Amino acid sequence: MSTAVSPTARTLAGPDTPFAVVDVHRTRRNIARLRARADRLGVALRPHVKTAKSLDAAALLHDGGPGPVTVSTLAEAEAFAGAGHHDITYAVGIEPHKLPRVIALVRRGVTVRVLLDSTEQAVFVAAAARDARVALPALIEIDCDGHRGGLRPDAPGLPGIARVLHDAGCLDGVLTHAGESYFCRTAEERRAAARNERDAAVAAAERLRAAGLPVTTVSVGSTPTAHAADDLTGVTELRAGNHVFFDLVMAGLGVCGLDDLALSVVVTVIGHRPEYGWILTDGGWMAMSRDRGTAAQPQDQGYGLVTDLNGTLIPDLVMTAASQEHGTLTARNGAGLPELPIGTRLRVLPNHACATAAQHHGYHVVDGALGPATTAPAIEAYWPRVTGW
Amino acid sequence: MSTAVSPTARTLAGPDTPFAVVDVHRTRRNIARLRARADRLGVALRPHVKTAKSLDAAALLHDGGPGPVTVSTLAEAEAFAGAGHHDITYAVGIEPHKLPRVIALVRRGVTVRVLLDSTEQAVFVAAAARDARVALPALIEIDCDGHRGGLRPDAPGLPGIARVLHDAGCLDGVLTHAGESYFCRTAEERRAAARNERDAAVAAAERLRAAGLPVTTVSVGSTPTAHAADDLTGVTELRAGNHVFFDLVMAGLGVCGLDDLALSVVVTVIGHRPEYGWILTDGGWMAMSRDRGTAAQPQDQGYGLVTDLNGTLIPDLVMTAASQEHGTLTARNGAGLPELPIGTRLRVLPNHACATAAQHHGYHVVDGALGPATTAPAIEAYWPRVTGW
């Protein structure tokens, strides 16, 4: 199993395929870009670590030290707390069974904000904080675009939920996520989604403050809106996560370019079906995931675009089908199939970095700043992933 | 992380959600059903272990002992060889870089059949067998339905490839997979696909034998055709793997019933959006995979059907959307949403068992033969999965 860099696997020609690769140069550049935006907007960053799920990648988020993070699982919370990230928001609605692990983290000195959108949840969080005699700061989820959970900013029940939390010392603030921004088509639509996201969060916060309920955190973010927002007045923090790697969905939206994509999967050619126009590889959906996020975009990129081992795009070659351990590459726009003998290694750029990364135990890391390699790019490091729940 | 059965997690009410569950009663019954079919057809079984990837599940395949298996990765080959399964077919086209691991297994006394469909591959397999002075039995992949790799039985190049292998002592036989049978609509179509699959494999074998090339193995199989074949004369072994768990795709095809589905994912209700008709859970695509196999079937089952914690189907409740760690349940056919308070545990039956199982480190095992539990089904065991490549 390709779980560590062995002495015989010092380049991308080494490990058995398929395996995930991260270009740390692009990751650094993507992180710096959002950091500069946040600084310009005068807002703190609380990156979501659910995409990379890597302590090594997270070390690049805050200039090498720990910093505020958002997590999608308690396994992430525990792993990141263990590495010194003591300011954590668990951004999935809380349920009672998960509170003991949250409380255990709090007792270790970690701040863990929980998320909720109902009186039912506020009541059991308040009770747990009282019973355990710990701080359980809670964020009320605000629905800005009908994407998933949350309360509309004008929901009748909002002040009552905040009151339950406040009376127990648990009210921290509000949080929203513009999930529908993934379906925007233009930069103007993304800017509008970012304004709407901010307006919803700020309106909810102002409504609570007007009712005498103190709101500290006003948290917004999605990768598309984080890169489009032009004014975040009233917002205290910005969340985004996918930007550490970006992917074809984000490139299709115009949030990034193809040369910003930091995650790819190295695969090997294992067969040819010239009569069908197919090149077969050993990278199927087990390596890429079943995610077909670009299927809903104007340019469907199949299961991914293909580069050579150096990361140079092979024009018009697309991974169009996937079995468990087989990928099918085909040419589009009438392009001929390139000559790729059995054993040739390629890299596939994924639709959705979060989903593709989740299929792997970790990442072999290359540094694109070193320029094209004459043989195969050197492997600089191995970054393991946090897995499970 | 829910990676083992702790003393406080003795029932499905115990481990933090989401987690994968296997009903061992249904698994045993599904295995016995195919075993009885194979016995009736007079053919050996070589089950594919890529679905469960579990040594514990594999122990049920051959009455407790080791037996012939098919694998999709060398990580599986190594794990199963370590557990005494010394008769292995690696059913993904071979490429040179993977041969050292194959040869290492052979040197441990394991038979590993490799798969190929080109002269190029036959030449390097033959050279490797000679150089390493080991047996490298090879199967030539036959394409019976244009699904993926392989040579048509009448392909001009077939005897030449077999000759290269034979001259190096590497020719073992032929293998085909009726991948298109997943798109059959009726039992008659599946029977026809099974006949076509057998005919292609047997025709290829007979063609080689007529050319003086000895063929030992004639291997066919896919879960739909394995359950439909009425005559396997000339076939030496039957492969299938999905049947250990089955799934909604197989139920939609009519290969099994919903009460044969042995794999599910336990999730917890974390929110409600009555204005949209949504119940939100903590089981998103990370727990279910992005597989939407039933989308191509007459009855689209979304991301899965929903049962209570005992496994009893909740009529008309479907998981219709998935974020990374959020699932959305909606009612169909005008059914009302059931009362499911926050904290309620449910089980979701997946589209595609291979893909959903791959999202988990292992399975909490229950025994459906014990009947409905008054509280929550007891956890009998934990079966870890083989992961990676």
Side-chain angles (χ1 to χ4, degrees):
Chain A
M1 286 172 52
S2 313
T3 49
V5 181
S6 79
T8 57
R10 290 293 183 206
T11 74
L12 294 189
D16 278 342
T17 54
F19 61 93
V21 172
V22 165
D23 181 337
V24 67
H25 173 62
R26 293 181 178 190
T27 294
R28 281 204 186 94
R29 197 173 60 195
N30 296 341
I31 287 170
R33 177 181 162 203
L34 186 60
R35 166 70 58 194
R37 278 193 64 79
D39 289 349
R40 211 157 54 232
L41 291 161
V43 69
L45 272 185
R46 179 184 292 280
H48 208 313
V49 296
K50 78 182 179 72
T51 302
K53 293 204 187 206
S54 154
L55 298 173
D56 302 284
L60 306 177
L61 293 169
H62 298 287
D63 294 323
V69 294
T70 311
V71 301
S72 70
T73 66
L74 292 179
E76 287 166 51
E78 290 158 354
F80 280 81
H85 295 271
H86 285 177
D87 180 1
I88 294 174
T89 293
Y90 171 43
V92 177
I94 192 70
E95 51 98 6
H97 202 278
K98 298 203 180 82
L99 281 174
R101 284 168 71 191
V102 172
I103 291 168
L105 283 169
V106 175
R107 290 200 165 125
R108 284 167 52 191
V110 182
T111 298
V112 185
R113 284 175 194 77
V114 297
L115 188 66
L116 54 83
D117 64 0
S118 67
T119 305
E120 196 177 349
Q121 289 164 304
V123 166
F124 70 66
V125 167
R130 281 194 203 97
D131 291 351
R133 297 169 188 270
V134 296
L136 283 181
L139 298 165
I140 303 177
E141 185 171 6
I142 303 300
D143 171 17
C144 65
D145 60 5
H147 179 70
R148 202 165 57 199
L151 292 157
R152 298 290 308 174
D154 59 356
L158 179 60
I161 295 171
R163 176 71 59 193
V164 172
L165 294 173
H166 179 60
D167 290 351
C170 294
L171 179 61
D172 183 75
V174 295
L175 175 149
T176 194
H177 168 65
E180 291 297 304
S181 69
Y182 284 70
F183 304 101
C184 290
R185 287 278 170 272
T186 64
E188 184 43 48
E189 282 178 36
R190 287 196 297 282
R191 266 192 299 276
R195 280 185 213 118
N196 174 66
E197 186 181 44
R198 178 207 58 185
D199 291 348
V202 172
E206 289 306 319
R207 190 170 160 221
L208 295 178
R209 287 172 184 143
L213 294 157
V215 170
T216 306
T217 298
V218 181
S219 179
V220 304
S222 76
T223 291
T225 54
H227 290 79
D230 49 11
D231 178 11
L232 291 179
T233 306
V235 166
T236 64
E237 66 175 31
L238 189 58
R239 304 181 328 280
N242 179 282
H243 70 293
V244 296
F245 292 159
F246 282 132
D247 52 33
L248 291 174
V249 166
M250 287 299 145
L253 286 173
V255 176
C256 67
L258 288 177
D259 58 0
D260 293 320
L261 272 56
L263 177 71
S264 59
V265 177
V266 179
V267 304
T268 300
V269 174
I270 62 167
H272 302 89
R273 296 302 304 269
E275 66 274 45
Y276 295 122
W278 296 343
I279 295 170
L280 299 175
T281 78
D282 63 358
W285 57 251
M286 186 67 84
M288 296 303 299
S289 90
R290 270 289 192 200
D291 199 286
R292 290 279 290 100
T294 58
Q297 295 188 333
Q299 175 68 73
D300 184 343
Q301 307 284 29
Y303 282 92
L305 296 184
V306 184
T307 81
D308 66 17
L309 201 51
N310 264 312
T312 304
L313 212 63
I314 301 177
D316 294 317
L317 193 63
V318 185
M319 178 173 162
T320 46
S323 305
Q324 186 160 337
E325 300 290 351
H326 298 80
T328 304
L329 312 182
T330 58
R332 69 177 165 201
N333 299 329
L337 273 183
E339 278 284 332
L340 298 170
I342 286 171
T344 305
R345 290 183 170 218
L346 303 165
R347 287 159 73 177
V348 184
L349 301 170
N351 277 292
H352 187 176
C354 311
T356 299
Q359 303 299 108
H360 297 269
H361 289 300
Y363 316 97
H364 288 82
V365 179
V366 299
D367 186 346
L370 302 177
T374 49
T375 52
I379 295 171
E380 308 290 332
Y382 181 81
W383 293 353
R385 275 176 59 88
V386 178
T387 60
W389 289 271
Chain B
M1 286 171 52
S2 312
T3 49
V5 181
S6 80
T8 57
R10 290 293 183 205
T11 74
L12 294 189
D16 278 342
T17 54
F19 61 92
V21 172
V22 165
D23 181 336
V24 67
H25 173 63
R26 292 182 177 189
T27 294
R28 281 204 186 93
R29 197 174 60 195
N30 296 341
I31 288 170
R33 177 181 164 206
L34 186 60
R35 167 70 57 195
R37 278 193 63 80
D39 289 349
R40 212 158 52 232
L41 291 161
V43 70
L45 272 184
R46 180 184 292 280
H48 208 313
V49 296
K50 79 181 177 74
T51 302
K53 294 204 186 203
S54 153
L55 298 173
D56 303 283
L60 306 177
L61 292 170
H62 298 287
D63 295 323
V69 294
T70 311
V71 301
S72 70
T73 65
L74 291 179
E76 287 166 51
E78 289 159 353
F80 280 80
H85 295 271
H86 286 178
D87 181 0
I88 294 174
T89 293
Y90 171 43
V92 176
I94 193 70
E95 51 98 6
H97 201 279
K98 298 205 179 81
L99 281 174
R101 285 167 72 189
V102 171
I103 291 168
L105 283 169
V106 175
R107 290 198 165 127
R108 285 166 50 190
V110 182
T111 298
V112 184
R113 282 174 195 77
V114 298
L115 188 66
L116 54 84
D117 65 359
S118 67
T119 304
E120 195 177 349
Q121 289 164 304
V123 166
F124 69 66
V125 167
R130 280 194 205 97
D131 292 350
R133 297 169 187 269
V134 295
L136 283 181
L139 299 165
I140 302 176
E141 186 171 6
I142 303 300
D143 170 16
C144 66
D145 59 6
H147 178 69
R148 203 165 58 198
L151 294 156
R152 299 289 310 173
D154 59 356
L158 179 60
I161 294 171
R163 177 70 61 192
V164 171
L165 294 172
H166 179 60
D167 290 350
C170 295
L171 179 61
D172 183 75
V174 294
L175 175 150
T176 193
H177 168 65
E180 291 297 304
S181 69
Y182 284 70
F183 305 100
C184 290
R185 288 278 168 270
T186 65
E188 184 43 48
E189 280 178 36
R190 286 196 297 283
R191 267 192 298 276
R195 280 186 214 116
N196 174 67
E197 185 181 45
R198 179 209 56 186
D199 291 349
V202 172
E206 288 306 319
R207 191 170 160 220
L208 295 178
R209 287 172 183 142
L213 296 157
V215 170
T216 305
T217 298
V218 181
S219 180
V220 304
S222 75
T223 291
T225 55
H227 290 80
D230 51 10
D231 178 10
L232 290 178
T233 306
V235 166
T236 64
E237 66 175 32
L238 189 58
R239 304 181 329 280
N242 179 281
H243 70 292
V244 297
F245 292 159
F246 282 132
D247 52 32
L248 290 174
V249 166
M250 287 298 145
L253 286 173
V255 176
C256 66
L258 288 177
D259 58 0
D260 294 320
L261 272 56
L263 177 71
S264 59
V265 177
V266 179
V267 303
T268 300
V269 173
I270 61 167
H272 302 88
R273 297 302 303 270
E275 66 274 46
Y276 296 122
W278 296 343
I279 295 171
L280 299 176
T281 77
D282 64 358
W285 58 251
M286 186 66 84
M288 296 303 299
S289 90
R290 270 287 192 201
D291 199 286
R292 290 278 292 102
T294 59
Q297 295 188 333
Q299 176 68 72
D300 184 343
Q301 306 284 28
Y303 282 92
L305 296 183
V306 184
T307 81
D308 66 16
L309 203 51
N310 265 310
T312 304
L313 212 64
I314 301 176
D316 294 317
L317 193 62
V318 186
M319 179 174 162
T320 45
S323 307
Q324 186 159 337
E325 299 290 351
H326 298 80
T328 304
L329 312 183
T330 59
R332 69 178 165 200
N333 300 328
L337 274 184
E339 277 284 333
L340 298 170
I342 285 170
T344 305
R345 290 184 170 218
L346 303 166
R347 286 159 72 177
V348 183
L349 302 170
N351 277 292
H352 187 177
C354 310
T356 298
Q359 303 299 108
H360 298 269
H361 289 301
Y363 317 97
H364 287 82
V365 179
V366 299
D367 186 347
L370 302 176
T374 49
T375 52
I379 295 171
E380 309 289 333
Y382 181 81
W383 293 352
R385 274 175 59 86
V386 178
T387 59
W389 290 270

